[in-house]
Amino acid sequence: MSDLTLYTNPMSRGRIARWMLEEIGVPYKTEILDFGSEMKSHAYRSINPMGKVPAIKHGDTVVTECAAICAYLADAFPGANLAPPIKNRGLYYRWLFFAAGPLEMAVSNKAMGFEITPDKLRMAGCGSYADVMNTLEYAVSENRFVAGDYFTAADVYIASHLGWGMHFGSIEKRQHFVDYLSHISDRPAYKRANQIDEEAAKDLKAAS
């Protein structure tokens, strides 16, 4: 077992980190935390003061926030080829952090029933929901993968948002979204990660 630990819950954004870990293909430990006392405990807040998952610990390094975890793991394990060379990282960084910023904000607003009024759109980093969806469609339709010709950590992050959002109705089921997710979700690492988390969710439900 490596010195890499995932702190997660199978019904959380931890699924994104799980998928990324399966993509890099190195051994890791898993600590599953409940949403109550364990996640808000003093012990876990020493890992993530927010008391939220996911987080990873790699040796003495702690990383929180899904986009940061994806970017860190891609750099820490270059043999997995999940980040382009530095000179070609424009699209990679652009879409990874577009998803972490405007996409996350717009989708969360929609899920909570909050609509930004037209006079406040300039103040909101995401702008309008429609603009975000149109930009996301552009991102997934210009190339086979968002950063170009091959799969990267940015695809892990964006495809995770698309899968979750379309399943729960906070992202529209546009054909480009469906097509992109279809060829991404056929990856063996995605299937492994999903199976692990589905089994973990069943175990939590049985124990409750």
Side-chain angles (χ1 to χ4, degrees):
M1 188 65 67
S2 73
D3 59 347
L4 183 57
T5 301
L6 167 66
Y7 301 88
T8 188
N9 182 289
M11 297 305 295
S12 75
R13 291 173 177 82
R15 284 179 175 251
I16 302 173
R18 169 86 70 188
W19 179 9
M20 186 65 193
L21 285 162
E22 290 297 317
E23 288 286 351
I24 64 173
V26 300
Y28 62 93
K29 296 177 286 188
T30 302
E31 295 284 345
I32 294 180
L33 308 175
D34 65 39
F35 285 106
S37 59
E38 292 178 341
M39 219 173 281
K40 302 302 182 183
S41 69
H42 176 75
Y44 182 63
R45 282 186 186 272
S46 69
I47 300 294
N48 185 358
M50 287 284 288
K52 296 174 72 68
V53 292
I56 62 167
K57 188 172 184 181
H58 182 211
D60 294 327
T61 300
V62 173
V63 187
T64 67
E65 315 314 318
C66 287
I69 290 170
C70 288
Y72 173 83
L73 290 173
D75 287 343
F77 298 92
N81 294 316
L82 291 169
I86 289 291
K87 65 179 182 179
N88 297 328
R89 287 196 185 182
L91 289 175
Y92 171 77
Y93 285 136
R94 177 186 183 182
W95 296 123
L96 180 60
F97 295 108
F98 165 79
L103 178 59
E104 172 85 14
M105 183 178 181
V107 169
S108 294
N109 285 346
K110 182 176 176 62
M112 293 184 290
F114 177 74
E115 184 175 352
I116 302 171
T117 57
D119 61 310
K120 302 294 186 184
L121 286 175
R122 287 186 299 174
M123 299 173 60
C126 64
S128 72
Y129 176 81
D131 284 345
V132 170
M133 290 300 106
N134 291 338
T135 302
L136 180 61
E137 186 169 28
Y138 172 81
V140 302
S141 61
E142 279 296 287
N143 301 291
R144 178 166 173 78
F145 301 104
V146 296
D149 294 331
Y150 70 93
F151 181 88
T152 67
D155 292 292
V156 171
Y157 195 66
I158 287 181
S160 295
H161 276 284
L162 276 172
W164 189 268
M166 288 195 294
H167 179 75
F168 288 103
S170 55
I171 291 180
E172 304 162 357
K173 288 186 178 180
R174 298 187 184 186
Q175 192 59 49
H176 279 126
F177 297 164
V178 173
D179 291 345
Y180 169 78
L181 187 61
S182 178
H183 79 80
I184 294 288
S185 61
D186 198 41
R187 295 181 63 82
Y190 173 86
K191 293 178 179 179
R192 286 196 307 272
N194 195 53
Q195 182 178 1
I196 291 168
D197 278 324
E198 288 298 319
E199 291 175 356
K202 289 178 182 177
D203 290 342
L204 284 179
K205 185 176 181 179
S208 63

